[in-house]
Amino acid sequence: MNNPSRPLRQVLFAAILATMPAIAQADDVQTQSMISERISQHNPAPEAYIKDRPILGWQLNSDDFDAIPEAIRDNLGSVDGTSYDQAYLTENTGSIIALQFRKDGPDFYIIGKSTFDEAYELVSLDDVAAKNARLIERLDMAPEVKAMFEDQAPGIVGALKTTPVDMLRLSDLGYAKSVALTIQAPWGEQTKPEGADAFLVWDSGENQYYMVNADDDGLPSSYVPVK
């Protein structure tokens, strides 16, 4: 017995399948508009954090990638999958590359120039050594950077973020901790690993959000809650 509706169902099913890759691809990277929509929907309460320890940095005195030591350049964006292009480096000359570490390796990234100018101050390397023992211990993961620090090589500086920062938890926006997530950011893309939360910070200079991954304690990396 003929079933004239069967070919129609097959056509509709094929059409649905054809659209599924495009939908999945659109969901792979969360755009700034998608993030803003979720913030409007969930209306999360911001959490205030502040840097509790000075960090090490590499001064960006030029927009020449080759002027950045190879040991630093090769680890740029290694944690959140960020790739910095020439335009972003040029735009942020005069800032620093933050030289931070997680338990599994380097976490180096460029601090936006406007953020650096407004929220950071340079401190001595002795101050970093005295107040950030964990960072100094983890320099063993990057022996060349450790040598530059111990030799107080030109370009290596200490820096402290002096202003509180409001952050939004990604899990408060409905993003599952168990799933890896990639977002658009002022410098390209950032990724949080599966099984962890992360935080969003508003960059007033770029009018966009960027992401701060969580540390081993579930706090924004290198931050503590404001008391």
Side-chain angles (χ1 to χ4, degrees), residues 23-84:
I23 294 172
Q25 185 176 10
D27 287 343
D28 283 345
V29 178
Q30 293 295 291
T31 65
Q32 291 288 320
S33 61
M34 291 175 179
I35 292 170
S36 296
E37 184 176 349
R38 281 189 179 244
I39 292 172
S40 297
Q41 289 174 348
H42 293 270
N43 193 27
E47 302 174 22
Y49 291 92
I50 193 166
K51 292 275 189 180
D52 66 331
R53 298 180 295 271
I55 62 171
L56 286 178
W58 173 265
Q59 286 188 307
L60 290 172
N61 294 322
S62 80
D63 63 353
D64 181 6
F65 270 108
D66 291 335
I68 302 170
E70 185 177 359
I72 296 174
R73 188 174 66 241
D74 288 351
N75 285 294
L76 266 178
S78 57
V79 168
D80 55 19
T82 300
S83 296
Y84 298 100

Side-chain angles (χ1 to χ4, degrees), residues 64-132:
D64 181 6
F65 270 108
D66 291 335
I68 302 170
E70 185 177 359
I72 296 174
R73 188 174 66 241
D74 288 351
N75 285 294
L76 266 178
S78 57
V79 168
D80 55 19
T82 300
S83 296
Y84 298 100
D85 60 17
Q86 182 62 57
Y88 191 78
L89 180 61
T90 300
E91 179 184 345
N92 292 288
T93 299
S95 182
I96 66 171
I97 297 173
L99 305 177
Q100 300 189 117
F101 293 82
R102 295 165 64 90
K103 65 180 181 181
D104 55 353
D107 178 12
F108 298 170
Y109 59 89
I110 296 174
I111 297 174
K113 180 69 163 57
S114 60
T115 299
F116 178 74
D117 289 342
E118 294 170 7
Y120 282 80
E121 63 181 31
L122 294 180
V123 299
S124 71
L125 296 181
D126 289 340
D127 202 28
V128 179
K131 297 179 180 179
N132 200 340

